[in-house]
Amino acid sequence: MNNFIFENSTKVYFGKGCVKEFLAGNLSIYGNNVMLAYGGESIKKNGVYDEIKEILTAGGKNITEFSGIMSNPTYKKVLEGAKLAKENHVDVILAVGGGSVMDCCKAVSLAAAYDGDIWSDYWEKNGIVYFEPIPLGVIVTVAGTGSECNGGAVITNEEKKIKTGRDYPKCNPKFALMDPEYTFSVPARQTASGGFDILSHIMETYFSKPDEDNVSDNISQALMKSVISNLPKALENPQDYTARSNLMWAATMAENRIIKLGKACDFQAHQIEHQLGAFTNCNHGCGLAVIHPAYYRYIYRDGLEKFVRFAENVWGISAEGKTDEEIASDGIQALEDFIKQIGLPTKLRELGITDKGQLADIARSCNIAPGGYGKMSEKAILEILNKCY
Ligand code: NZQ
Ligand code: ZN
């Protein structure tokens, strides 16, 4: 295992009724000015908005609403939120939603406490956060990104056509309230894409060195099996509490830094998806579903032993009478079959991407992740994207 330091400052409250029980108490340690941030209409339709509003009103909070946070949140939206937070002297931000709302609010919490240009100083490059961002609490409404338990925020700069994630521990939410019942209303497509995002985060960590026996890989195998078993159950019965709660916690476990400890981590598929998103605004989990099988077919020979382990231990592929290459290929095929089973796309055209000419620009603007098995280059990424088309 590689050396590591571990800290996670987010306090998690998980389970039925946790918002009613713990929201007011958690907010009471901050000032009275609360920014209530959310996306579109979903929290108004499923009653979550009313439930939260009632708690805030009963606590005598001055509420500043920051709504309309879109999927793949933009830098422009971050600046809008920061302006609102400054004007209303916001003491604490309450983000209610999925990765997009949480990420946007992390960036707002930094931008509202900083006088310079947050994009050039903290997203274009890694910066040092020497000041205190506005405290942030989150209420998770969709399982997927795991943003609730890290400092990561993925922001799209539309003008520059760059989608970039940075992880600043000071942006870790102070508290995360996670009621699996809040995710009952998530539509099938988003349930599947969020679920695949969880699997992707685990695979991106698993397929990297070290490969000798280590705790992180063993936890990862168990988590992958849990997602593979629970995601179809949640799709079949959206109100299956056990399936929804397993997905919700697996999402957090995948991104709360624990499985990354001692691992190099790859995240090349994410780098490609982020630029795909910057150019096409595609759904994050759907983009990953298209990229992963093609990417793994490109690199698996460089990490053959691990891909064999993945096939046998995660997908239950039989090794009998097969070469290592055949076992590994069967594992990647099982992954692709699972993607089809949960109704996600496996080709860029299914994502609505019809301009093949964009692929070269996407490949050119992609970061190369240093931690994976294969030797990546702009040419290799373009080849993978062409295979995805
Ligand atoms: O906007 P509303 O109306 O709320 O609808 C949302 C949105 O359309 C809907 N939704 C959320 N909760 C719901 C619900 N619909 C019904 N019932 C509910 N309870 O779901 C849709 C998608 O929401 P979004 O937040 O965009 O999805 P997700 O959680 O997948 O987040 C995606 C963003 O997170 C970034 C992605 O790149 C993308 O920008 N990521 C963030 C990461 C991090 N911070 O650690 C890591 C990830 O790899 C990822 O890159
Ligand atoms: Zn992701």
Side-chain angles (χ1 to χ4, degrees):
M1 245 188 256
N2 301 335
N3 298 2
F4 63 79
I5 297 170
F6 174 64
E7 184 183 352
N8 194 312
S9 59
T10 302
K11 183 160 183 176
V12 173
Y13 299 82
F14 187 97
K16 252 179 228 181
C18 65
V19 173
K20 270 197 182 131
E21 202 173 342
F22 298 112
L23 176 58
N26 272 285
L27 288 178
S28 67
I29 55 175
Y30 306 104
N32 251 2
N33 299 335
V34 179
M35 175 179 261
L36 173 60
Y38 55 97
E41 290 298 301
S42 78
I43 65 164
K44 292 200 170 155
K45 287 188 192 146
N46 60 16
V48 166
Y49 175 86
D50 288 340
E51 189 163 305
I52 293 167
K53 202 76 191 275
E54 210 180 297
I55 295 166
L56 298 182
T57 310
K61 302 295 179 192
N62 307 317
I63 305 168
T64 299
E65 291 209 16
F66 174 43
S67 63
I69 300 172
M70 65 293 275
S71 286
N72 302 326
T74 61
Y75 183 47
K76 206 170 144 204
K77 194 70 187 173
V78 171
L79 295 180
E80 181 192 320
K83 186 164 174 279
L84 207 57
K86 278 183 186 169
E87 282 169 2
N88 292 281
H89 309 287
V90 162
D91 299 309
V92 56
I93 303 173
L94 184 61
V96 185
S100 298
V101 175
M102 294 188 273
D103 287 13
C104 184
C105 287
K106 288 175 190 173
V108 168
S109 77
L110 273 186
Y114 184 66
D115 286 332
D117 177 8
I118 205 93
W119 178 267
S120 57
D121 295 345
Y122 290 98
W123 264 264
E124 212 157 70
K125 58 176 193 256
N126 238 328
I128 295 167
V129 183
Y130 54 83
F131 55 93
E132 285 306 316
I134 296 181
L136 168 70
V138 301
I139 297 178
V140 184
T141 65
V142 52
T145 64
S147 180
E148 60 275 3
C149 253
N150 61 44
V154 182
I155 303 298
T156 299
N157 189 316
E158 290 175 299
E159 272 169 34
K160 295 183 190 251
K161 279 199 185 311
I162 294 176
K163 182 176 174 184
T164 289
R166 297 284 175 200
D167 186 348
Y168 295 114
K170 278 199 173 178
C171 288
N172 259 67
K174 303 289 180 204
F175 61 88
L177 296 158
M178 303 171 61
D179 183 340
E181 286 190 337
Y182 278 23
T183 68
F184 282 177
S185 57
V186 177
R189 180 72 157 198
Q190 186 59 42
T191 298
S193 90
F196 189 76
D197 192 24
I198 306 171
L199 194 57
S200 168
H201 296 152
I202 307 166
M203 292 190 296
E204 297 258 42
T205 306
Y206 182 76
F207 289 117
S208 71
K209 287 185 187 309
D211 293 318
E212 69 265 14
D213 192 15
N214 67 82
V215 173
S216 292
D217 283 348
N218 291 336
I219 300 175
S220 289
Q221 285 178 182
L223 286 172
M224 285 188 273
K225 284 166 81 169
S226 175
V227 175
I228 291 160
S229 136
N230 284 287
L231 182 47
K233 289 179 193 160
L235 288 169
E236 199 182 316
N237 176 11
Q239 310 219 341
D240 181 334
Y241 184 82
T242 303
R244 290 290 195 185
S245 51
N246 279 325
L247 288 174
M248 198 173 217
W249 188 237
T252 308
M253 280 296 294
E255 276 295 325
N256 63 3
R257 308 194 180 106
I258 285 180
I259 62 166
K260 296 182 181 181
L261 300 175
K263 296 285 295 180
C265 296
D266 181 5
F267 283 82
Q268 185 63 61
H270 267 70
Q271 294 298 340
I272 300 173
E273 192 290 324
H274 284 170
Q275 278 318 97
L276 196 61
F279 278 78
T280 68
N281 198 26
C282 69
N283 174 285
H284 178 59
C286 292
L288 290 168
V290 172
I291 293 159
H292 265 286
Y295 172 52
Y296 286 157
R297 287 195 177 102
Y298 192 89
I299 64 159
Y300 79 94
R301 288 184 190 85
D302 294 309
L304 193 58
E305 190 229 307
K306 197 58 152 299
F307 276 92
V308 168
R309 231 192 287 169
F310 175 67
E312 292 187 319
N313 295 354
V314 178
W315 298 102
I317 304 284
S318 158
E320 215 177 301
K322 292 176 192 161
T323 64
D324 279 358
E325 279 213 17
E326 284 166 343
I327 303 165
S329 291
D330 284 356
I332 299 169
Q333 188 56 49
L335 174 67
E336 185 167 340
D337 292 344
F338 179 71
I339 292 167
K340 288 181 181 155
Q341 182 202 333
I342 58 174
L344 291 185
T346 53
K347 291 286 170 209
L348 290 174
R349 272 169 301 172
E350 292 172 63
L351 270 181
I353 297 165
T354 48
D355 180 6
K356 209 176 174 189
Q358 277 183 322
L359 301 187
D361 292 331
I362 293 170
R364 197 171 306 122
S365 60
C366 266
N367 287 329
I368 306 288
Y373 292 128
K375 272 241 169 325
M376 280 294 114
S377 62
E378 182 187 326
K379 190 168 159 277
I381 293 170
L382 184 57
E383 205 176 315
I384 291 163
L385 284 169
N386 274 316
K387 286 251 159 59
C388 294
Y389 190 71

